[in-house]
Amino acid sequence: MKESYWIKHTKCDKHYPKVEQDLYTNIAIVGAGLTGLTTAYYTSKATSEIMIFESDQIGYGASGRNTGKITFQHGLLYHTLIEKYDRIFAKRYYKAQHDAMISIDAIIKEHHIDCEYQKSDAIVYTNDAAKVADIQDEYQAYLDLDIPCEYVRCKDEPTYMEAGLLIKDQAKFNPYAYCLGLSDILDEQQIQIYEHSALRDMKQKDDGYELSINGCIVHANKVVFTCQFPFIDHMHLYFARMRPIQESLCAAKITQKQSNLMIINAEKPMHSANIFEENIVMAGNQHKSGQGTSQQHEDFEKSLYALYPIHEISEEWSNEDYFTFDYLPLIGKLDKHNADLLFASGYNAWGNTTSNMAAKILSAYLLDQYSNYAMLTSPQRTSFFSLPFLKENMNTAVHFIKSKLQKGEFDYPLKKEAKQMEIDGHLYGVYRDEQDELFIVDITCPHMGCICSFNHVDKTWDCPCHGSRFSYTGEVIKGPAGYHLHAIGDDLNTVDPHVTKNRN
């Protein structure tokens, strides 16, 4: 994948070993992004029997690829929560996000983490007169929940807006540098971290779990999945309860001085911007994973030039997150009666604060402590069942069928291009790199058998059904798929959704 602005401009001098022998631990955390590292941080205050396993490098996933906002202003969320649940519930969720923001501030200051942290105001706004009523509804929700804000309007260029809600004293940071800072703290506490150590299988035993990593066995009493998606499902169909959404991101230099604001609009197409010093990171072009087009990305880049005075774009990349149908993340027990198997997912693109909230909930479970916020995010809730849930799963079914009916091309791609090609009666993905080398892989997703599409920004094969991503050489970048894409000449991919319990 292409490196984000944060990863490209942050020096990383420390790397961690990969698993090369059988290991034993009390707690195994799978995923070394913001959630995994912060969960280990809080849990390590009570025990050092923790190991963290990362399939790539620390912070290289969604954690190091977002806009860098730290805010409890999550679009037009709070009016929706009041309408769907009630005011007390919405107030608790606001407090959980507010506490997370304060906790991140405290961690950075206590440990002197160098991550470009600074205070910043945040605003959600609209330029569409038809959306003003939605801004006003959110404003009323803020008043009902005692959320401090300012209702603003501006009829003058270049900051014209029909209506907006401004919240002061939010924050921003370099999320990748923050991940590196957390890993340094854990390393000093002798918490073992392993990179390039992808989980391939897991079996439940009478005395805990056996994790298959790099051909070795890791024995653990408790397992936490903080890798965006739980590796196993146990017939809960979590993959059907969320939709994988990708978005495009760009970074550029600003030619005219702008306020150091964090901005998001209320209408579609969505764009979210973080302006800091002479730079801007902007996100937009949200679409179902594996269903975007290169033209959509080009249109997004053009919108950046139209909205802000910038030089040419210096970096471009994409990110992916899982969105739930009831607007709340899934954090807690994978199985209702088992506190030894936990996961966190469905952050709805607000992972910087939600990861901290999740870490507190997960750590409380691991240490048999009470969490004030666990019931807000229980994976066992049934509020996900809705019309959007039905529509999303119909979309998945349609794309599964369409992908099976696809016919591949017969001409090989040009340099830096990719094609789906019919070879020996089977559909393969073919990418030709700058050195004119061809990479041919079976693009049947090992999760549930959908045919992957090529992501022209990150040069990856992405599943249009449940969001698995693979490099053009076939390696798994992120699940729910647990296996790589086989190269031509090897066996065809084996489909295994890890739905049932694997116990022996």
Side-chain angles (χ1 to χ4, degrees):
M1 290 195 301
K2 285 188 177 180
E3 291 185 339
S4 71
Y5 171 86
W6 312 111
I7 294 172
K8 185 175 179 180
H9 292 273
T10 304
K11 186 177 181 181
C12 177
D13 295 322
K14 186 183 295 184
H15 296 285
Y16 296 89
K18 64 180 181 180
V19 173
E20 295 182 316
Q21 62 181 13
D22 292 354
L23 299 168
Y24 295 83
T25 186
N26 181 30
I27 299 169
I29 297 176
V30 181
L34 288 169
T35 304
L37 294 169
T38 310
T39 299
Y41 172 82
Y42 286 126
T43 309
S44 67
K45 297 179 182 298
T47 177
S48 61
E49 295 182 84
I50 305 167
M51 291 183 183
I52 306 173
F53 303 95
E54 169 57 44
S55 63
D56 197 336
Q57 298 180 58
I58 286 172
Y60 256 57
S63 295
R65 303 172 68 80
N66 61 64
T67 57
K69 297 180 179 181
I70 306 173
T71 178
F72 52 73
Q73 185 183 66
H74 295 177
L76 302 180
L77 175 66
Y78 294 102
H79 172 70
T80 301
L81 293 182
I82 291 174
E83 289 292 300
K84 187 172 180 62
Y85 303 100
D86 57 38
R87 192 181 69 82
I88 295 175
F89 186 97
K91 179 80 170 182
R92 291 180 66 193
Y93 191 80
Y94 156 65
K95 188 175 187 309
Q97 292 288 337
H98 181 268
D99 289 351
M101 195 175 71
I102 292 174
S103 296
I104 294 170
D105 179 274
I107 291 171
I108 291 171
K109 290 178 178 177
E110 178 182 351
H111 299 282
H112 308 288
I113 297 177
D114 183 8
C115 59
E116 304 171 59
Y117 178 76
Q118 59 179 293
K119 291 291 186 179
S120 176
D121 296 342
I123 188 168
V124 57
Y125 78 98
T126 184
N127 284 333
D128 184 354
K131 294 288 290 185
V132 170
D134 293 337
I135 295 288
Q136 292 173 341
D137 285 341
E138 187 73 358
Y139 180 54
Q140 184 60 53
Y142 281 19
L143 296 177
D144 292 342
L145 301 177
D146 298 320
I147 300 176
C149 73
E150 180 181 345
Y151 186 90
V152 295
R153 300 183 68 186
C154 183
K155 295 295 185 178
D156 299 322
E157 298 290 351
T159 55
Y160 173 84
M161 66 181 70
E162 286 285 344
L165 298 177
L166 179 71
I167 297 182
K168 295 184 178 296
D169 294 322
Q170 307 297 282
K172 60 182 67 175
F173 67 167
N174 177 333
Y176 177 63
Y178 180 66
C179 284
L180 296 182
L182 288 173
S183 68
D184 286 340
I185 297 167
L186 296 171
D187 192 39
E188 290 173 1
Q189 296 175 346
Q190 298 184 326
I191 302 300
Q192 296 180 57
I193 301 173
Y194 295 91
E195 294 181 321
H196 304 292
S197 299
L199 176 64
R200 290 290 176 251
D201 197 10
M202 189 179 86
K203 296 178 181 177
Q204 186 173 355
K205 298 289 186 177
D206 292 334
D207 57 349
Y209 299 91
E210 287 186 354
L211 288 69
S212 178
I213 299 176
N214 292 352
C216 304
I217 298 298
V218 175
H219 303 266
N221 297 320
K222 302 179 180 183
V223 179
V224 188
F225 295 114
T226 58
C227 46
Q228 272 204 311
F229 200 96
F231 179 80
I232 55 177
D233 188 88
H234 287 186
M235 295 301 293
H236 299 299
L237 305 182
Y238 289 119
F239 58 81
R241 294 166 57 178
M242 297 180 283
R243 57 183 180 270
I245 299 296
Q246 282 184 3
E247 61 184 7
S248 300
L249 292 97
C250 294
K253 289 284 187 182
I254 295 178
T255 59
Q256 299 175 15
K257 184 175 177 58
Q258 303 280 310
S259 300
N260 278 9
L261 274 174
M262 301 184 297
I263 305 167
I264 188 169
N265 66 332
E267 61 265 25
K268 293 183 179 180
M270 181 280 295
H271 71 262
S272 174
N274 178 7
I275 303 172
F276 53 100
E277 308 306 333
E278 300 175 348
N279 303 283
I280 183 171
V281 171
M282 180 173 165
N285 183 31
Q286 286 189 344
H287 56 272
K288 177 83 180 285
S289 297
Q291 299 182 24
T293 66
S294 56
Q295 184 60 53
Q296 288 173 327
H297 179 77
E298 291 174 12
D299 292 343
F300 162 68
E301 289 189 342
K302 290 177 183 177
S303 72
L304 181 56
Y305 285 100
L307 287 166
Y308 301 100
I310 64 169
H311 286 296
E312 65 180 2
I313 291 170
S314 57
E315 288 88 20
E316 59 176 1
W317 68 99
S318 65
N319 200 9
E320 182 177 272
D321 201 2
Y322 287 89
F323 284 58
T324 59
F325 300 104
D326 58 2
Y327 313 102
L328 300 170
L330 297 168
I331 305 166
K333 295 182 284 187
L334 191 137
D335 298 319
K336 183 176 182 179
H337 302 294
N338 183 4
D340 294 338
L341 189 59
L342 309 171
F343 81 102
S345 188
Y347 289 1
N348 300 293
W350 296 106
N352 289 334
T353 49
T354 304
S355 63
N356 185 277
M357 178 179 76
K360 293 173 183 174
I361 294 171
L362 296 172
S363 181
Y365 276 120
L366 291 170
L367 300 175
D368 296 322
Q369 297 174 351
Y370 174 75
S371 169
N372 290 326
Y373 305 126
M375 290 307 296
L376 291 173
T377 64
S378 171
Q380 282 69 51
R381 65 183 186 266
T382 58
S383 54
F384 68 89
F385 193 81
S386 60
L387 182 59
F389 165 80
L390 295 174
K391 287 182 176 179
E392 174 59 27
N393 283 280
M394 182 62 71
N395 172 278
T396 297
V398 168
H399 273 271
F400 177 82
I401 295 170
K402 286 175 62 177
S403 72
K404 292 301 183 182
L405 298 176
Q406 288 182 104
K407 298 295 183 182
E409 299 186 40
F410 294 96
D411 295 327
Y412 283 91
L414 302 175
K415 288 184 179 180
K416 298 195 293 185
E417 290 185 354
K419 288 184 178 181
Q420 295 176 341
M421 296 186 63
E422 193 92 22
I423 303 175
D424 295 333
H426 189 76
L427 198 62
Y428 287 90
V430 182
Y431 175 74
R432 190 188 296 270
D433 70 7
E434 295 177 344
Q435 286 72 44
D436 208 29
E437 183 176 359
L438 288 172
F439 296 87
I440 306 176
V441 295
D442 179 359
I443 51 174
T444 302
C445 180
H447 176 234
M448 292 194 74
C450 294
I451 302 300
C452 296
S453 302
F454 193 70
N455 181 322
H456 295 274
V457 177
D458 279 334
K459 304 294 188 289
T460 56
W461 291 105
D462 300 345
C463 176
C465 293
H466 302 111
S468 296
R469 305 188 73 188
F470 309 86
S471 69
Y472 61 77
T473 59
E475 288 87 359
V476 181
I477 294 174
K478 66 178 299 299
Y483 304 103
H484 65 274
L485 304 179
H486 287 171
I488 190 169
D490 296 339
D491 293 335
L492 297 180
N493 298 338
T494 300
V495 175
D496 183 0
H498 294 285
V499 171
T500 58
K501 293 187 179 182
N502 190 357
R503 182 183 179 94
N504 55 25

